[in-house]
Amino acid sequence: MLPELTPEDLHARLQHGEDIQLIDVRQPEEFAYCRIEGSQLIPLGELARRAEEIDPDRPTVLICHHGVRSMQALAYLQHRHELTNLLNLRGGIHAWSLRVDPSVAVY
């Protein structure tokens, strides 16, 4: 089982001022349409060459539309880059929009 957290858990951690890196692995057009404030775009297809942008010393949450691509990204980064600071956002930005921040567009 790969590590994940709920949108509510992420929201609480951000509200408490925790220094969390947010990496969005969706496509640029999806990111342009809606995103979680403070997130950084690294599309899944670019992850192999941009993995060094992920800070190994901070908790890092991977985000996609429904949580599938971000789970693939997490598995890749754990296996290939031996990162142990990663969490997947369960349900992705869709769940975030429905359960935490309705100002973030749903698609």
Side-chain angles (χ1 to χ4, degrees):
M1 190 70 160
L2 295 172
E4 59 183 2
L5 79 167
T6 66
E8 294 85 356
D9 291 338
L10 175 57
H11 184 254
R13 290 173 74 168
L14 292 171
Q15 293 291 76
H16 285 100
E18 191 170 335
D19 184 23
I20 298 174
Q21 184 178 33
L22 303 174
I23 300 293
D24 195 315
V25 300
R26 297 175 299 148
Q27 292 301 304
E29 59 274 9
E30 292 175 286
F31 187 78
Y33 184 70
C34 66
R35 65 186 155 279
I36 297 174
E37 184 73 29
S39 59
Q40 174 187 351
L41 178 64
I42 303 178
L44 187 58
E46 298 178 15
L47 198 56
R49 66 181 156 86
R50 294 181 60 192
E52 73 282 348
E53 294 178 40
I54 297 172
D55 186 342
D57 300 319
R58 293 166 60 196
T60 299
V61 177
L62 300 167
I63 304 160
C64 70
H65 190 195
H66 288 291
V68 177
R69 285 176 281 179
S70 53
M71 190 64 82
Q72 292 171 334
L74 190 148
Y76 167 79
L77 290 166
Q78 279 186 336
H79 180 72
R80 293 289 187 157
H81 296 274
E82 300 179 353
L83 293 174
T84 59
N85 60 318
L86 307 171
L87 294 162
N88 182 53
L89 181 60
R90 185 184 309 152
I93 196 161
H94 184 80
W96 175 270
S97 299
L98 296 178
R99 296 164 35 190
V100 172
D101 187 354
S103 72
V104 175
V106 174
Y107 67 101

